[in-house]
Coordinates of all heavy atoms in Angstrom, one line a residue:
K385 N 91.5 88.6 78.1 CA 90.1 88.6 78.5 C 89.2 88.0 77.4 O 88.3 87.2 77.8 CB 89.7 90.0 78.9 CG 88.3 90.1 79.5 CD 88.0 91.5 80.1 CE 86.6 91.4 80.8 NZ 86.3 92.8 81.4
K386 N 89.4 88.4 76.2 CA 88.5 87.9 75.1 C 88.5 86.4 75.0 O 87.5 85.7 74.9 CB 88.9 88.6 73.8 CG 88.0 88.2 72.6 CD 88.5 88.9 71.3 CE 87.6 88.4 70.1 NZ 88.1 89.0 68.9
D387 N 89.8 85.9 75.0 CA 89.9 84.4 74.9 C 89.3 83.7 76.2 O 88.7 82.6 76.0 CB 91.4 84.0 74.8 CG 91.9 84.3 73.4 OD1 91.1 84.4 72.4 OD2 93.1 84.5 73.2
F388 N 89.5 84.3 77.3 CA 89.0 83.7 78.6 C 87.5 83.7 78.5 O 86.8 82.7 78.8 CB 89.5 84.5 79.8 CG 89.5 83.8 81.1 CD1 90.4 84.1 82.1 CD2 88.6 82.7 81.3 CE1 90.4 83.5 83.3 CE2 88.6 82.0 82.5 CZ 89.5 82.4 83.5
Q389 N 86.9 84.8 78.1 CA 85.4 84.9 78.1 C 84.8 83.9 77.1 O 83.7 83.5 77.2 CB 85.0 86.3 77.7 CG 85.2 87.3 78.8 CD 84.8 88.7 78.4 OE1 85.1 89.1 77.3 NE2 84.2 89.5 79.3
S390 N 85.6 83.5 76.1 CA 85.0 82.6 75.0 C 85.0 81.2 75.4 O 84.5 80.3 74.7 CB 85.8 82.9 73.7 OG 87.1 82.3 73.8
L391 N 85.7 80.8 76.5 CA 85.8 79.4 76.9 C 84.4 78.8 77.2 O 83.6 79.5 77.9 CB 86.7 79.2 78.1 CG 88.2 79.6 77.8 CD1 89.0 79.4 79.1 CD2 88.8 78.8 76.7
P392 N 84.1 77.6 76.7 CA 82.8 77.1 76.9 C 82.6 76.5 78.3 O 83.5 75.9 78.9 CB 82.7 76.0 75.9 CG 84.1 75.5 75.7 CD 85.0 76.7 75.9
V393 N 81.4 76.7 78.9 CA 81.0 76.0 80.1 C 79.5 75.6 80.0 O 78.8 76.0 79.1 CB 81.1 77.0 81.3 CG1 82.5 77.3 81.6 CG2 80.2 78.3 81.1
V394 N 79.2 74.6 80.8 CA 77.8 74.0 80.7 C 76.9 74.8 81.8 O 77.3 75.0 82.9 CB 77.9 72.5 81.1 CG1 76.4 72.0 81.2 CG2 78.6 71.8 79.9
D395 N 75.7 75.1 81.3 CA 74.7 75.7 82.2 C 73.6 74.8 82.4 O 72.8 74.5 81.5 CB 74.2 77.0 81.6 CG 73.2 77.7 82.5 OD1 72.9 77.2 83.6 OD2 72.6 78.8 82.0
P396 N 73.4 74.2 83.6 CA 72.4 73.2 83.8 C 71.1 73.8 84.2 O 70.1 73.1 84.4 CB 73.0 72.3 85.0 CG 73.8 73.3 85.7 CD 74.3 74.3 84.8
G397 N 71.0 75.1 84.4 CA 69.8 75.8 84.8 C 69.8 76.1 86.3 O 70.6 75.6 87.1
E398 N 69.0 77.1 86.6 CA 69.0 77.7 87.9 C 68.7 76.7 89.0 O 69.4 76.8 90.1 CB 68.1 78.9 88.0 CG 68.2 79.8 89.2 CD 69.5 80.7 89.1 OE1 70.1 80.8 88.0 OE2 69.9 81.3 90.1
E399 N 67.8 75.9 88.8 CA 67.4 75.0 89.9 C 68.5 74.0 90.3 O 68.8 73.8 91.5 CB 66.1 74.2 89.5 CG 64.9 75.0 89.5 CD 63.6 74.2 89.2 OE1 63.7 73.3 88.3 OE2 62.6 74.4 89.8
L400 N 69.2 73.5 89.3 CA 70.3 72.6 89.6 C 71.5 73.3 90.2 O 72.2 72.8 91.0 CB 70.7 71.8 88.4 CG 69.9 70.5 88.1 CD1 70.2 69.9 86.8 CD2 70.3 69.5 89.3
L401 N 71.8 74.5 89.7 CA 72.8 75.3 90.3 C 72.6 75.5 91.8 O 73.5 75.4 92.6 CB 72.9 76.7 89.6 CG 73.5 76.7 88.1 CD1 73.4 78.0 87.5 CD2 75.0 76.2 88.2
C402 N 71.3 75.9 92.1 CA 71.0 76.1 93.5 C 71.1 74.8 94.3 O 71.6 74.8 95.4 CB 69.5 76.7 93.5 SG 69.0 77.2 95.2
A403 N 70.6 73.7 93.7 CA 70.7 72.4 94.4 C 72.2 72.0 94.7 O 72.5 71.6 95.8 CB 70.0 71.3 93.6
Y404 N 73.0 72.2 93.7 CA 74.5 71.9 93.9 C 75.1 72.8 95.0 O 75.8 72.4 95.9 CB 75.2 72.1 92.6 CG 76.7 71.8 92.8 CD1 77.2 70.5 93.0 CD2 77.6 72.9 92.9 CE1 78.6 70.3 93.2 CE2 79.0 72.7 93.1 CZ 79.4 71.4 93.3 OH 80.8 71.1 93.5
E405 N 74.7 74.1 94.9 CA 75.3 75.0 95.9 C 74.8 74.7 97.3 O 75.6 74.8 98.3 CB 74.9 76.5 95.6 CG 75.7 77.5 96.2 CD 77.1 77.6 95.5 OE1 77.3 77.1 94.4 OE2 78.0 78.3 96.1
D406 N 73.6 74.2 97.5 CA 73.1 73.9 98.8 C 73.9 72.7 99.4 O 74.1 72.7 100.6 CB 71.6 73.4 98.7 CG 70.6 74.6 98.5 OD1 71.1 75.8 98.7 OD2 69.5 74.4 98.1
L407 N 74.4 71.8 98.5 CA 75.1 70.7 99.0 C 76.6 71.0 99.2 O 77.3 70.6 100.2 CB 75.0 69.5 98.1 CG 73.6 68.8 98.0 CD1 73.6 67.8 96.9 CD2 73.3 68.2 99.3
S408 N 77.2 71.8 98.3 CA 78.6 72.0 98.3 C 79.1 73.2 99.1 O 80.2 73.2 99.6 CB 79.1 72.2 96.8 OG 78.5 73.3 96.2
H409 N 78.2 74.2 99.2 CA 78.6 75.4 99.9 C 79.0 75.1 101.4 O 80.0 75.6 101.9 CB 77.6 76.5 99.9 CG 78.0 77.7 100.6 ND1 79.0 78.6 100.1 CD2 77.6 78.3 101.8 CE1 79.1 79.6 101.0 NE2 78.3 79.4 102.0
P410 N 78.2 74.3 102.1 CA 78.6 74.0 103.5 C 80.0 73.3 103.6 O 80.7 73.5 104.5 CB 77.5 73.1 104.0 CG 76.3 73.4 103.2 CD 76.9 73.7 101.8
I411 N 80.3 72.4 102.6 CA 81.6 71.8 102.6 C 82.7 72.8 102.3 O 83.7 72.9 103.0 CB 81.6 70.7 101.4 CG1 80.6 69.6 101.7 CG2 83.0 70.2 101.3 CD1 80.5 68.7 100.5
D412 N 82.4 73.7 101.4 CA 83.4 74.7 101.1 C 83.6 75.7 102.2 O 84.7 76.2 102.5 CB 83.1 75.5 99.8 CG 83.4 74.6 98.6 OD1 84.2 73.7 98.7 OD2 82.8 74.8 97.5
Q413 N 82.5 76.0 102.9 CA 82.6 76.9 104.1 C 83.4 76.3 105.2 O 84.2 77.0 105.9 CB 81.2 77.2 104.6 CG 81.2 78.3 105.6 CD 81.8 79.6 105.2 OE1 81.7 80.0 104.0 NE2 82.6 80.3 106.0
R414 N 83.3 75.0 105.4 CA 84.1 74.3 106.4 C 85.6 74.4 106.0 O 86.5 74.5 106.8 CB 83.7 72.8 106.5 CG 84.4 72.1 107.7 CD 83.9 70.7 107.9 NE 84.8 70.0 108.8 CZ 84.8 68.7 109.0 NH1 84.0 68.0 108.3 NH2 85.7 68.1 109.8
I415 N 85.9 74.3 104.7 CA 87.3 74.4 104.2 C 87.8 75.8 104.6 O 88.9 75.9 105.0 CB 87.3 74.2 102.7 CG1 87.0 72.7 102.3 CG2 88.7 74.6 102.1 CD1 86.9 72.4 100.9
V416 N 87.0 76.8 104.4 CA 87.4 78.2 104.8 C 87.7 78.3 106.3 O 88.7 78.8 106.7 CB 86.3 79.2 104.4 CG1 86.6 80.6 105.0 CG2 86.2 79.3 102.9
E417 N 86.8 77.7 107.1 CA 87.0 77.8 108.5 C 88.2 77.0 108.9 O 89.0 77.5 109.8 CB 85.7 77.2 109.2 CG 84.5 78.0 109.1 CD 83.2 77.3 109.4 OE1 83.3 76.1 109.8 OE2 82.1 77.9 109.4
N418 N 88.5 75.9 108.3 CA 89.7 75.2 108.6 C 91.0 75.9 108.2 O 92.0 76.0 108.9 CB 89.7 73.8 107.9 CG 88.8 72.8 108.5 OD1 88.3 73.0 109.7 ND2 88.5 71.7 107.8
E419 N 90.9 76.6 107.1 CA 92.0 77.4 106.6 C 92.3 78.6 107.6 O 93.4 78.9 107.9 CB 91.8 78.0 105.2 CG 92.8 78.9 104.7 CD 94.2 78.3 104.6 OE1 94.3 77.1 104.5 OE2 95.2 79.1 104.5
E420 N 91.2 79.2 108.1 CA 91.4 80.3 109.0 C 92.0 79.8 110.3 O 92.8 80.5 110.9 CB 90.0 81.0 109.3 CG 89.5 81.8 108.1 CD 88.1 82.3 108.3 OE1 87.4 81.7 109.1 OE2 87.7 83.2 107.5
Q421 N 91.6 78.6 110.7 CA 92.2 78.0 111.9 C 93.7 77.7 111.7 O 94.6 77.9 112.5 CB 91.5 76.7 112.3 CG 92.1 76.0 113.5 CD 91.9 76.7 114.8 OE1 91.3 77.8 114.9 NE2 92.5 76.2 115.9
C422 N 94.0 77.2 110.5 CA 95.4 77.0 110.1 C 96.3 78.3 110.2 O 97.4 78.3 110.8 CB 95.5 76.5 108.7 SG 95.1 74.7 108.5
R423 N 95.7 79.4 109.8 CA 96.4 80.6 109.8 C 96.6 81.1 111.2 O 97.6 81.7 111.6 CB 95.7 81.7 108.9 CG 95.7 81.3 107.5 CD 95.1 82.3 106.5 NE 95.2 81.9 105.1 CZ 95.0 82.7 104.1 NH1 94.8 84.0 104.3 NH2 95.1 82.2 102.9
T424 N 95.6 80.9 112.1 CA 95.7 81.3 113.5 C 96.8 80.5 114.1 O 97.7 81.1 114.9 CB 94.4 81.0 114.2 OG1 93.4 81.8 113.6 CG2 94.5 81.3 115.7
L425 N 96.9 79.2 113.9 CA 97.9 78.3 114.4 C 99.3 78.7 113.9 O 100.3 78.7 114.7 CB 97.6 76.9 114.1 CG 96.4 76.3 114.8 CD1 96.1 74.9 114.2 CD2 96.5 76.2 116.3
A426 N 99.4 79.0 112.6 CA 100.7 79.4 112.0 C 101.2 80.7 112.6 O 102.4 80.9 112.9 CB 100.5 79.5 110.5
T427 N 100.2 81.7 112.8 CA 100.6 82.9 113.5 C 101.1 82.7 114.9 O 102.1 83.3 115.3 CB 99.4 83.9 113.5 OG1 99.0 84.2 112.1 CG2 99.8 85.2 114.2
L428 N 100.4 81.9 115.6 CA 100.9 81.6 117.0 C 102.3 80.9 116.9 O 103.2 81.3 117.7 CB 99.9 80.6 117.7 CG 100.3 80.2 119.1 CD1 100.4 81.4 120.0 CD2 99.2 79.2 119.6
R429 N 102.5 79.9 116.1 CA 103.8 79.3 115.9 C 104.9 80.3 115.6 O 105.9 80.3 116.2 CB 103.7 78.2 114.8 CG 105.0 77.5 114.5 CD 105.0 76.9 113.1 NE 104.8 77.9 112.1 CZ 104.3 77.7 110.9 NH1 103.8 76.5 110.6 NH2 104.2 78.7 110.0
D430 N 104.6 81.2 114.7 CA 105.6 82.1 114.2 C 105.9 83.2 115.3 O 106.9 83.8 115.3 CB 105.2 82.8 112.9 CG 105.1 81.8 111.8 OD1 105.7 80.7 111.9 OD2 104.5 82.1 110.8
T431 N 104.9 83.4 116.2 CA 105.1 84.3 117.3 C 105.9 83.7 118.4 O 106.8 84.3 119.0 CB 103.7 84.8 117.8 OG1 103.0 85.4 116.8 CG2 103.9 85.8 119.0
L432 N 105.6 82.4 118.7 CA 106.3 81.7 119.8 C 107.8 81.4 119.4 O 108.6 81.4 120.3 CB 105.6 80.4 120.1 CG 104.2 80.6 120.7 CD1 103.6 79.2 120.9 CD2 104.2 81.3 122.0
L433 N 108.0 81.1 118.1 CA 109.3 80.6 117.7 C 110.5 81.5 118.1 O 111.4 81.0 118.8 CB 109.3 80.4 116.2 CG 110.4 79.5 115.6 CD1 110.0 79.1 114.2 CD2 111.7 80.3 115.4
P434 N 110.5 82.8 117.8 CA 111.7 83.6 118.1 C 111.8 83.8 119.6 O 112.9 83.9 120.2 CB 111.4 84.9 117.4 CG 110.0 84.9 117.2 CD 109.5 83.5 117.0
R435 N 110.7 83.8 120.3 CA 110.7 84.0 121.8 C 111.2 82.7 122.5 O 111.9 82.8 123.5 CB 109.4 84.4 122.3 CG 108.9 85.7 121.7 CD 107.5 86.1 122.2 NE 107.5 86.3 123.6 CZ 106.4 86.4 124.4 NH1 105.2 86.2 123.9 NH2 106.5 86.7 125.7
L436 N 110.9 81.6 122.0 CA 111.4 80.3 122.6 C 112.9 80.1 122.3 O 113.6 79.8 123.3 CB 110.6 79.2 122.0 CG 109.2 79.0 122.6 CD1 108.4 78.0 121.8 CD2 109.2 78.5 124.1
I437 N 113.3 80.3 121.1 CA 114.7 80.0 120.8 C 115.7 81.1 121.3 O 116.9 80.8 121.4 CB 114.9 79.8 119.3 CG1 114.7 81.0 118.5 CG2 114.1 78.6 118.8 CD1 115.0 80.8 117.0
S438 N 115.1 82.2 121.7 CA 115.9 83.3 122.3 C 116.0 83.2 123.8 O 116.7 83.9 124.5 CB 115.4 84.7 121.9 OG 114.2 84.9 122.5
G439 N 115.1 82.4 124.4 CA 115.0 82.2 125.8 C 114.1 83.3 126.5 O 113.9 83.3 127.7
Q440 N 113.4 84.1 125.7 CA 112.5 85.1 126.3 C 111.2 84.5 126.8 O 110.6 85.1 127.7 CB 112.1 86.1 125.2 CG 113.3 86.9 124.7 CD 112.9 87.9 123.5 OE1 111.7 88.1 123.3 NE2 113.9 88.4 122.8
L441 N 110.9 83.3 126.3 CA 109.7 82.6 126.8 C 110.0 81.2 127.2 O 110.7 80.5 126.4 CB 108.6 82.6 125.6 CG 107.2 82.1 126.0 CD1 106.5 83.0 127.0 CD2 106.4 81.9 124.7
R442 N 109.6 80.8 128.3 CA 109.8 79.4 128.8 C 108.8 78.5 128.2 O 107.6 78.8 128.0 CB 109.8 79.4 130.3 CG 110.9 80.2 131.0 CD 110.7 80.2 132.5 NE 111.7 81.0 133.1 CZ 113.0 80.7 133.4 NH1 113.4 79.4 133.1 NH2 113.8 81.5 134.0
P443 N 109.2 77.2 127.9 CA 108.3 76.2 127.3 C 107.0 76.1 128.1 O 105.9 76.0 127.4 CB 109.1 75.0 127.3 CG 110.5 75.4 127.2 CD 110.6 76.7 128.0
P444 N 106.9 76.0 129.4 CA 105.6 75.9 130.1 C 104.6 77.1 129.7 O 103.4 76.9 129.6 CB 105.9 75.9 131.5 CG 107.3 75.3 131.6 CD 108.0 76.0 130.4
E445 N 105.2 78.3 129.6 CA 104.4 79.4 129.3 C 103.9 79.3 127.9 O 102.7 79.6 127.6 CB 105.2 80.7 129.5 CG 105.7 80.9 130.9 CD 106.7 82.0 131.0 OE1 107.5 82.2 130.0 OE2 106.8 82.7 132.1

Side-chain angles (χ1 to χ4, degrees):
K385 187 171 186 176
K386 181 180 178 181
D387 287 336
F388 202 154
Q389 287 178 320
S390 70
L391 296 179
V393 292
V394 171
D395 180 4
E398 194 73 14
E399 288 184 318
L400 271 172
L401 287 174
C402 187
Y404 177 75
E405 201 72 14
D406 285 345
L407 291 174
S408 61
H409 181 71
I411 297 173
D412 285 336
Q413 189 56 38
R414 186 176 168 196
I415 293 174
V416 171
E417 292 167 359
N418 286 345
E419 174 64 18
E420 290 172 341
Q421 178 68 2
C422 283
R423 295 186 178 198
T424 297
L425 293 171
T427 298
L428 177 60
R429 177 200 62 204
D430 296 343
T431 300
L432 295 178
L433 194 161
R435 299 179 65 193
L436 282 167
I437 65 176
S438 67
Q440 296 176 14
L441 185 68
R442 296 178 184 274
E445 298 167 331

